[in-house]
Amino acid sequence: MMSRLQVFCLGLTQLVSWGISYYLIGTFAGTIGTERGWSMDAIYGGFAAALIVMGLTSALTGRLIDRFGGRWIMSTGAFLIAAGCTGIAVSHSLVGYYASWLVLGLAMRLSLYDAAFAALVKLAGPAARQPIAQITLLGGLASTVFWPIGHYLTDFFGLTAALLCYAAFALCTIPLYLVALRPPQGPQAATVEAARAGIPEPNRGTGRPQSLAPAILYAIIVAATNSLSAGLTSHLIGILGGLGMASVSAVWIASLPGIAQSTARFTNLVIGRSLNPLTLNLIAASVMPVAFLFSFFSGRSMVLAAVFVGLFGAANGLMTITRGSLPLVLFDNRHYGSLVGKLITPSFFLSAASPLVFAVVIERAGNMAALVLSLALGVVIFTASIALKLIGRSTT
């Protein structure tokens, strides 16, 4: 088992790394546009390019972690985050800006949740389920913590200095990775290997699931969830405002998902830790369609809007946990990184396209149509989760 210090250190890296990379665009996009004179489409295009790089490098990253562990790979990711932030800080051309985001795309795949999950499984085997849930608790606070920090640094020191501070934060996570992901030795190493040896059939073997059905369903769930999150959250304030909510209220309501997802994750740690990942995934997926039924009335009532956004955030928060823990009960954890790296690849490409798709839907059919699209994705997630629960019981 990993120590509490190791889990805390890895959770802290996720809090910092998400805040200074994935959420960087939400913090600085407006200031970058004002100071550099670029359009919002061009600015957000850099982030989309980074997501594409994450997809292109996903399978290789998983294989590397399976082979070498996550200690130096995730540390390299932290160094590349620092390089990417520095690049954006000093870039005054779109070429340099986009090159910096390409670096950040590789950095994020090497250092965010999916890499951390694979590194935990490499270290702890089947016992990684609990640490996976624990590190997402801290990581879920990234936007809540770093959006204010980013705005404070920009207001007092300017955009360039703020981004250089982000680069320094990234370098500070490297010692945390070295502590959190140190390989087990002695009796602890023997315990991990014994746990691996005890994996029941059919989840042992070549790293391929006995049936393709669980793999396909898992890939569908991850892709649909990530696409929904990327598309909806990027337009949530505008959708709420378009439905008739005052702008100040829309901003306040749109800030609730982060709080809701961390609350849901904490509740899971306290009372749901014994739940099978298949069951937890189905519970979270069942909340998705319910959330979007409330969304159709969110323009009329702040209470109903808060219920909609809170339920969506809670479900999304729990499904981040199951994205990491489901493969432990479906597939051979000795090949966790390689297999999961392949299965989540489509989700990065779809996430890159999702904000644009939502923008087109809103422009051509209105805000309500975007909520209908969200409901449809929620139904896909729920249906696939039911099927995975039924199929998964026969393979675990």
Side-chain angles (χ1 to χ4, degrees), residues 283-310:
I283 291 171
S286 67
V287 174
M288 284 283 191
V290 176
F292 291 110
L293 291 177
F294 279 100
S295 75
F296 297 125
F297 306 98
S298 57
R300 305 176 189 175
S301 166
M302 280 189 61
V303 173
L304 294 179
V307 171
F308 148 52
V309 173

Side-chain angles (χ1 to χ4, degrees), residues 3-339:
S3 69
R4 291 181 180 178
L5 176 62
Q6 286 178 281
V7 174
F8 175 76
C9 286
L10 189 57
L12 194 56
T13 68
Q14 294 306 289
L15 169 66
V16 175
S17 296
W18 277 92
I20 63 177
S21 61
Y22 192 89
Y23 293 114
L24 181 152
I25 190 72
T27 306
F28 296 114
T31 307
I32 291 172
T34 300
E35 293 197 6
R36 313 250 166 107
W38 301 334
S39 69
M40 284 297 105
D41 288 345
I43 292 168
Y44 277 90
F47 180 64
L51 293 179
I52 292 172
V53 172
M54 291 180 76
L56 292 174
T57 58
S58 181
L60 175 60
T61 299
R63 288 197 299 271
L64 289 174
I65 293 176
D66 276 345
R67 183 172 181 181
F68 300 110
R71 197 181 195 202
W72 293 107
I73 290 171
M74 297 191 75
S75 297
T76 301
F79 177 80
L80 291 176
I81 290 178
C85 290
T86 301
I88 295 175
V90 301
S91 293
H92 292 276
S93 70
L94 282 174
V95 173
Y97 175 76
Y98 272 73
S100 300
W101 271 111
L102 295 180
V103 172
L104 277 173
L106 175 58
M108 288 190 290
R109 184 57 186 93
L110 294 177
S111 59
L112 298 186
Y113 279 150
D114 296 302
F117 296 160
L120 284 172
V121 174
K122 177 70 174 177
L123 279 179
R129 274 178 55 184
Q130 197 65 15
I132 284 174
Q134 289 168 338
I135 67 167
T136 63
L137 185 61
L138 275 176
L141 298 173
S143 61
T144 305
V145 172
F146 274 91
W147 278 344
I149 288 177
H151 286 296
Y152 173 85
L153 290 172
T154 304
D155 289 342
F156 280 85
F157 304 107
L159 175 63
T160 299
L163 286 165
L164 292 176
C165 286
Y166 270 34
F169 291 150
L171 295 177
C172 289
T173 65
I174 293 177
L176 297 176
Y177 285 120
L178 298 180
V179 171
L181 298 176
R182 63 177 183 268
Q185 297 177 353
Q188 187 180 11
T191 299
V192 172
E193 289 306 313
R196 291 183 184 280
I199 305 168
E201 298 289 353
N203 293 336
R204 296 181 63 188
T206 64
R208 300 185 182 92
Q210 188 182 46
S211 168
L212 284 178
I216 293 172
L217 290 169
Y218 173 81
I220 289 172
I221 291 168
V222 173
T225 302
N226 287 3
S227 299
L228 177 56
S229 179
L232 181 64
T233 54
S234 62
H235 295 282
L236 185 56
I237 294 175
I239 289 174
L240 293 172
L243 294 175
M245 184 173 290
S247 59
V248 174
S249 300
V251 171
W252 181 79
I253 294 294
S255 69
L256 293 179
I259 298 171
Q261 70 178 9
S262 291
T263 301
R265 289 169 183 170
F266 179 76
T267 303
N268 173 65
L269 283 172
V270 174
I271 64 175
R273 57 196 306 169
S274 62
L275 283 176
N276 184 284
L278 290 163
T279 302
L280 180 62
N281 182 72
L282 182 56
I283 291 171
S286 67
V287 174
M288 284 283 191
V290 176
F292 291 110
L293 291 177
F294 279 100
S295 75
F296 297 125
F297 306 98
S298 57
R300 305 176 189 175
S301 166
M302 280 189 61
V303 173
L304 294 179
V307 171
F308 148 52
V309 173
L311 289 175
F312 169 69
N316 197 50
L318 291 176
M319 296 194 79
T320 301
I321 297 174
T322 61
R323 186 173 86 210
S325 60
L326 278 172
L328 288 172
V329 298
L330 294 173
F331 315 125
D332 176 6
N333 72 64
R334 293 172 301 175
H335 302 273
Y336 179 104
S338 177
L339 180 57

